[in-house]
Amino acid sequence: MIKVLLAEDMHMIRAALTALLRLESDIEVVAEVTRGDEIVPEALRTRPDVAVVDIDLPVVDGITAAAELRGLLPSCRILVLTAMGQPGQVRRALQAGIEAFLVKDAPGDRLADAIRRTAQGLRVLDPELVASAMEYGASPLTPREATVLKEAAHGAAAEEIAARLHLSPGTVRNYLTSAITKIGARNKIDAIRVAQDAGWL
């Protein structure tokens, strides 16, 4: 029996995936979580063989949580669910050492097959998705610029970011300006969009 942890924040999608997997005689969903920060504690509690993780999770994104899980519970294989329009995120996941991906709009019967292959330690890669991911280069942003831009992406003003990161508002604005320039964006919103699409945040 392959034990599966399912991490998906959309209730209807999670319920549909769980129902689909319950039809399989050799797969058991042992845990369901809706946020990225719940993945590691729940996995350590239930010891799944495979964690099926959506990239876009609240609190902690799926890639960050998956990378942490790999370090703390190496016996648990990770299968990332992604949208075709997120090649930058796939690149980030590949850099984090995750080797199994399934496109969200894949036919339902492919999920069980992908879980079985992932549990066996096989790679599950969509060639088109990986090729698209490789088109993006490495991030031009420093870790601090990426952090500041990520905070801005969540709607935080320069003063809020400054207080959170123990910087002056002027320094935060300088980091934002530098990030916008390096990305070649028109403004902060454009820089956030480009950086998110590229998987740099």
Side-chain angles (χ1 to χ4, degrees):
M1 186 69 76
I2 301 169
K3 297 191 296 181
V4 172
L5 177 147
L6 187 56
E8 167 60 63
D9 64 322
M10 303 292 286
H11 178 72
M12 285 179 62
I13 294 174
R14 190 176 66 257
L17 293 175
T18 301
L20 192 67
L21 293 176
R22 284 199 176 125
L23 299 173
E24 304 297 327
S25 60
D26 60 338
I27 295 174
E28 178 188 9
V29 177
V30 295
E32 296 178 43
V33 299
T34 59
R35 299 180 349 202
D37 63 327
E38 297 171 333
I39 291 174
V40 170
E42 196 61 16
L44 292 174
R45 187 181 74 78
T46 59
R47 302 280 166 169
D49 301 302
V50 178
V52 178
V53 179
D54 181 19
I55 282 183
D56 297 314
L57 292 173
V59 186
V60 175
D61 69 86
I63 297 170
T64 302
E68 185 183 354
L69 180 58
R70 283 192 79 223
L72 294 172
L73 190 63
S75 62
C76 179
R77 304 281 180 176
I78 296 156
L79 172 63
V80 170
L81 296 179
T82 182
M84 197 64 194
Q86 296 179 305
Q89 295 287 29
V90 174
R91 181 183 175 86
R92 231 182 102 216
L94 286 167
Q95 290 169 339
I98 297 165
E99 298 179 325
F101 301 88
L102 187 64
V103 181
K104 275 190 170 183
D105 62 358
D109 59 344
R110 286 192 47 201
L111 176 61
D113 181 56
I115 288 171
R116 290 183 188 102
R117 291 174 61 206
T118 302
Q120 294 168 13
L122 301 175
R123 298 183 108 188
V124 179
L125 301 173
D126 182 309
E128 188 179 339
L129 192 64
V130 174
S132 179
M134 290 297 119
E135 288 176 15
Y136 285 90
S139 174
L141 305 174
T142 65
R144 185 58 95 178
E145 288 164 350
T147 300
V148 168
L149 198 59
K150 192 170 189 175
E151 290 287 338
H154 292 128
E159 290 72 19
E160 293 174 72
I161 299 170
R164 206 169 292 153
L165 300 179
H166 308 292
L167 301 169
S168 72
T171 301
V172 167
R173 289 187 191 93
N174 287 343
Y175 279 128
L176 286 171
T177 300
S178 176
I180 291 165
T181 303
K182 285 182 177 179
I183 290 172
R186 297 183 304 275
N187 52 41
K188 180 176 72 176
I189 303 300
D190 189 38
I192 290 167
R193 180 190 59 75
V194 171
Q196 286 177 332
D197 287 350
W200 296 336
L201 298 185

